[in-house]
Amino acid sequence: MNEMTELKNEIYAALDAAVDALCKAGNIQPGGVIVLGCSTSEVAGARIGKGSVPELGEIIAEAMLSACRARSVHAAFQCCEHLNRSIVMEEAVLRSRCLMQVNAVPQPKAGGSVPAAAWKRLTRPALAAFIQADAAIDVGDTLVGMHIRPVAVPLRIEYDHIGHANLVMAYSRLPYIGGSRAVYE
């Protein structure tokens, strides 16, 4: 088996495990949204933003979409800072969540290889300025946490890397309010 095939298998296994763990730990219901931020540069062993790999973007986008479809949740994809970390998603998700749509089409060097690949795979892709998703997966230290609804709860699984990139993730929980007399579910 060649190196790219091994990495592809690792990507599919890691993202499937990550989405599954987030759905279970965060009790993410069908229709929920999980955001993926990913640097293909970091996955390939380069510094973030310095070695984009569109072929990896294709694999990662498809693996994320497949893992989310299997659990009836929506995948969303964070762009890089060149598109102000906007979020690629299906237009129906953008509309149902009343998100602010912005106008750009992600490219590997302006938005990122993964969002650019996702854009091509979605039925009706749209770009939102921001989202407060149910959970997020960060591959390569892309700072995707800005797109998780408060309160973010870190989650660890057996996978802590994809390729050379760190894998970090979190789901959201309802904030606790009140004091010592408050009662919670």
Side-chain angles (χ1 to χ4, degrees):
M1 194 176 334
N2 69 29
E3 192 174 319
M4 186 58 108
T5 302
E6 287 179 27
L7 182 55
K8 179 179 180 178
N9 291 341
E10 177 187 346
I11 289 165
Y12 270 82
L15 288 177
D16 190 66
V19 170
D20 187 59
L22 287 168
C23 286
K24 288 176 179 169
N27 193 30
I28 299 171
Q29 299 299 306
V33 177
I34 301 175
V35 176
L36 173 68
C38 183
S39 167
T40 59
S41 301
E42 291 275 333
V43 171
R47 188 169 169 207
I48 193 168
K50 301 298 181 193
S52 184
V53 185
E55 298 80 14
L56 278 177
E58 300 284 337
I59 294 167
I60 293 165
E62 185 53 47
M64 181 66 175
L65 287 165
S66 176
C68 288
R69 270 192 304 265
R71 290 155 185 91
S72 300
V73 296
H74 300 288
F77 301 85
Q78 176 183 271
C79 293
C80 71
E81 72 275 10
H82 296 102
L83 291 183
N84 297 320
R85 302 207 186 280
S86 54
I87 305 292
V88 172
M89 65 190 69
E90 286 287 0
E91 182 183 36
V93 174
L94 181 141
R95 299 270 175 249
S96 71
R97 291 180 172 243
C98 300
L99 301 174
M100 183 174 75
Q101 188 169 3
V102 293
N103 190 8
V105 175
Q107 304 298 311
K109 299 279 186 186
S113 291
V114 176
W119 184 273
K120 293 186 290 187
R121 284 175 164 65
L122 296 174
T123 304
R124 291 187 52 103
L127 196 61
F130 55 84
I131 192 171
Q132 287 195 326
D134 300 292
I137 301 169
D138 187 324
V139 179
D141 305 317
T142 63
L143 303 178
V144 74
M146 65 190 285
H147 293 297
I148 304 173
R149 183 180 67 239
V151 171
V153 179
L155 181 62
R156 304 263 189 259
I157 60 171
E158 65 178 287
Y159 294 95
D160 61 358
H161 282 79
I162 293 181
H164 297 277
N166 292 326
L167 180 128
V168 179
M169 56 188 188
Y171 61 90
S172 66
R173 67 155 172 81
L174 295 174
Y176 299 133
I177 61 170
S180 61
R181 291 184 266 176
V183 176
Y184 306 107
E185 290 186 69

